[in-house]
Amino acid sequence: MTDWTRRQIGGLVGGALLGVAAPHIARGQGRPRVIVIGGGIGGATVARYLADLKSIDVTLVEPNSTHVTCFFSNLYLAGLRSLASLTFGLETLAERHGITIIRDSAVAIDPAGKGVELQGGPKLSYDRLVVAPGIAFKFGEIGGYDEAAAKIMPHAWIAGPQSELLRRQLKSMDDGGVFVIAAPPNPFRCPPAPYERASLVAYYFKQFKPKSKILILDAKDTFSGQELFQDAWSRHYPGMIEWLPSQFTGAIKAVDVAARSVVTEGETFRAAVANIIPAQKAGLIGEKAGLTDASGWCPVDPVTFESTLQPGIHVVGDSIIGGDMPKSAFSANSQAKACAFAVAASLTGSPHFPPHLFNSCYTFLAPDDAFTNALTFASEGGKIKTVKMFISKVGESAEARRRTAHHAVGWYSAFTADVFGGGS
Amino acid sequence: MQLVRKAATVSRAKGLAAEIRWLLGVSLSAILLFPGNSAAEDGSQGAQIAATCASCHDPAGRGQAIPPIVGMDEQGIVKAMLAFRASESPSLVMHAVALSLTDGELAAMARYLTGKANAGWQP
């Protein structure tokens, strides 16, 4: 909001030039127009499902031409998948689903004027806006850890170059080194993922650097799927993975990038490779547009996913306060579908039914050992509440776990086709 | 003594299986008789629920690990969903999904998927 105003004032000086270089793009005649900011899992899904209704003009604003999925990127770190196999272009959404893709960054939102300002110039107007900015990091909560430090001690929590950096470091690490993972405080993107990362990197070490160790310095005292992970660590990687909860270390206070060390309240740990996953908050445009509250996340209506702070703007995916829904790709996809049908109903009068919200995650403990969970949610008193929860059990047969790993791979290909269009 | 107990268990199990089959048959006919929009309309209740299926089942029907659902008939879909609703095995995900849908929603979803397949699904 503030930025918008500043830009408008700036426009008084460069207004004429701006008018020529960036003509105002008018709203389509007759057809309502929806702008979606963010081409990740939530944003791409909303855009696709809205466009498929064929009665709404959909524009997707995303600076990157491709999206690398965070889910399955731990398999890449372990050398079990290529990064290319986790990379999806947005062109199918344009070519087969009729979505206008604008490769640019949204820098400001004007809720009153229903406009979005882009870094590249043009100002877009909308009837409804959907914002899916994903996560941003709370740099500064760990002393010495900022964007520059992340180039030496990667977070690899947004897949892409950061994942490549961490993979390179793990490959060049000497056998016998210690790989330190700093696991973040709640809430954060994909709760079981730091521990899946430890499992799959341990699998890699077991084959190529068997004297190496993994140390998880956690900001928490418990974690998602803990019993299943600890059972798997003792079965597959005995003595390789050590997990230190916050109550033992007094939590991570700082990093020393030059010394490659992680400092907790009581001790300093030297790392051959350090993966620092910082505390998280909603993606920056959410904050700039006044969509976030004191928690740093975006509160929304649990049925329509309309912001409770800015009417007419909907938010889906990792950046929302999702009640009991974890921040996962599956949650984002499920929220996006509910949001798309609610937005369509508000614009075209199409029927709207109570949404069904789901989450299901596949988590790898080893390439042929995976567990799964399945959760259903319903809106209750303005919040998203868990209705049912099922999860794989410790002691399942190796065959059951192999089958789950096989399902995971099948799920990945169907899910990404659902999100990015086409059919694998 | 042992044999008698075994025979009783077997006959109880048989009775239970017959009961489940009967219940499945009754619910199946009841669900298939559910009124509602029958066409494969985009935006219909069936379409909104079926959107969930596409998070795991490839709409082009090329799934290997996760079985395709394109081309299943209405009765087959309802029958499978009732079996998933009754048991955690073989799929936790399908058990959760099936439990969350009412009979009416299940009927609308099955009708939509069948109608869509008949109309030649274009993913």
Side-chain angles (χ1 to χ4, degrees):
Chain A
M1 270 303 277
T2 322
D3 273 25
W4 180 268
T5 315
R6 207 183 303 134
R7 283 291 195 114
Q8 277 180 326
I9 293 166
L12 292 174
V13 182
L17 182 65
L18 193 72
V20 177
H24 180 84
I25 298 173
R27 240 170 272 181
Q29 293 294 309
R31 279 162 67 92
R33 179 165 193 193
V34 174
I35 296 175
V36 180
I37 297 175
I41 303 304
T45 306
V46 172
R48 188 224 164 134
Y49 275 80
L50 273 174
D52 284 358
L53 294 173
K54 299 189 173 65
S55 51
I56 293 168
D57 281 336
V58 182
T59 300
L60 178 62
V61 178
E62 166 58 50
N64 300 310
S65 60
T66 56
H67 179 84
V68 185
T69 67
C70 282
F71 49 103
F72 273 45
S73 68
N74 287 330
L75 290 168
Y76 161 74
L77 291 178
L80 295 164
R81 275 190 87 125
S82 69
L83 206 61
S85 76
L86 310 179
T87 305
F88 296 84
L90 300 177
E91 62 279 353
T92 310
L93 292 174
E95 289 159 14
R96 285 169 70 173
H97 300 274
I99 297 163
T100 304
I101 313 266
I102 296 185
R103 273 194 64 187
D104 207 337
S105 297
V107 291
I109 295 167
D110 170 19
K114 293 191 171 183
V116 173
E117 191 181 337
L118 304 178
Q119 194 164 43
K123 176 175 159 186
L124 307 174
S125 57
Y126 63 81
D127 294 302
R128 285 264 160 176
L129 177 65
V130 182
V131 183
I135 54 159
F137 299 109
K138 289 182 174 170
F139 285 119
E141 289 211 345
I142 295 175
Y145 195 72
D146 55 15
E147 264 178 88
K151 294 201 166 67
I152 295 156
M153 294 177 158
H155 52 73
W157 220 244
I158 292 174
Q162 277 278 304
S163 323
E164 288 177 298
L165 176 60
L166 184 54
R167 170 77 182 142
R168 273 200 305 277
Q169 292 183 349
L170 290 169
K171 276 178 85 172
S172 59
M173 191 186 100
D174 289 335
D175 188 10
V178 177
F179 172 44
V180 173
I181 299 175
N186 291 325
F188 64 99
R189 165 177 282 176
C190 199
Y195 317 96
E196 182 193 58
R197 179 168 288 179
S199 309
L200 290 175
V201 171
Y203 172 78
Y204 166 72
F205 284 168
K206 199 173 162 182
Q207 296 171 88
F208 299 104
K209 302 167 200 274
K211 287 183 278 185
S212 308
K213 299 259 186 274
I214 298 171
L215 174 64
I216 306 169
L217 298 174
D218 212 319
K220 307 175 290 301
D221 290 331
T222 56
F223 62 89
S224 173
Q226 189 165 340
E227 214 190 344
L228 287 151
F229 279 111
Q230 288 176 330
D231 164 67
W233 295 344
S234 64
R235 282 188 293 116
H236 296 300
Y237 321 111
M240 283 184 82
I241 301 174
E242 190 180 357
W243 172 70
L244 292 181
S246 174
Q247 61 186 348
F248 287 6
T249 62
I252 297 170
K253 299 295 174 200
V255 293
D256 183 337
V257 174
R260 283 265 165 110
S261 62
V262 181
V263 183
T264 65
E265 203 168 80
E267 218 175 325
T268 296
F269 297 88
R270 279 224 4 114
V273 176
N275 171 209
I276 310 297
I277 308 162
Q280 293 153 38
K281 59 180 181 176
L284 295 181
I285 189 74
E287 203 172 295
K288 283 170 82 177
L291 295 163
T292 54
D293 67 11
S295 72
W297 304 99
C298 307
V300 294
D301 176 278
V303 173
T304 62
F305 290 87
E306 186 170 357
S307 165
T308 56
L309 301 175
Q310 300 284 2
I313 302 180
H314 299 248
V315 191
V316 295
D318 289 347
S319 62
I320 70 163
I321 300 168
D324 290 347
M325 272 186 113
K327 299 187 184 302
S328 74
F330 202 110
S331 289
N333 174 263
S334 183
Q335 294 160 4
K337 288 169 184 175
C339 174
F341 293 122
V343 167
S346 76
L347 293 174
T348 66
S350 60
H352 184 229
F353 302 91
H356 286 272
L357 297 169
F358 298 98
N359 179 58
S360 175
C361 291
Y362 291 98
T363 305
F364 284 90
L365 301 160
D368 60 353
D369 184 350
F371 71 88
T372 185
N373 66 2
L375 293 95
T376 64
F377 306 92
S379 146
E380 195 188 304
K383 301 256 184 281
I384 301 175
K385 296 277 182 203
T386 302
V387 178
K388 298 269 183 198
M389 184 175 97
F390 303 95
I391 184 161
S392 303
K393 292 170 184 67
V394 169
E396 281 176 337
S397 70
E399 178 48 35
R401 291 295 182 79
R402 238 193 313 278
R403 209 166 40 237
T404 305
H406 183 56
H407 282 163
V409 176
W411 166 79
Y412 184 88
S413 94
F415 183 78
T416 49
D418 184 42
V419 174
F420 296 106
S424 68
Chain B
M1 193 59 186
Q2 192 77 15
L3 273 176
V4 173
R5 206 182 302 141
K6 249 187 194 166
T9 314
V10 169
S11 101
R12 246 203 323 277
K14 275 186 176 166
L16 192 66
E19 207 173 307
I20 289 173
R21 268 201 304 280
W22 180 80
L23 276 172
L24 215 61
V26 172
S27 354
L28 190 64
S29 3
I31 289 173
L32 289 168
L33 284 173
F34 252 96
N37 37 17
S38 57
E41 276 172 57
D42 296 323
S44 66
Q45 186 182 25
Q48 294 189 20
I49 296 164
T52 296
C53 309
S55 301
C56 303
H57 295 274
D58 190 320
R62 277 168 285 188
Q64 291 295 315
I66 295 181
I69 49 172
V70 173
M72 280 179 79
D73 65 26
E74 200 176 325
Q75 190 169 343
I77 294 170
V78 173
K79 214 168 164 176
M81 291 301 284
L82 288 175
F84 282 127
R85 193 192 275 173
S87 168
E88 269 191 38
S89 175
S91 166
L92 294 183
V93 182
M94 289 314 301
H95 182 54
V97 173
L99 276 175
S100 83
L101 300 180
T102 64
D103 287 355
E105 289 173 329
L106 196 52
M109 184 267 287
R111 207 161 293 156
Y112 171 81
L113 283 173
T114 317
K116 195 82 178 166
N118 291 342
W121 191 301
Q122 290 294 316

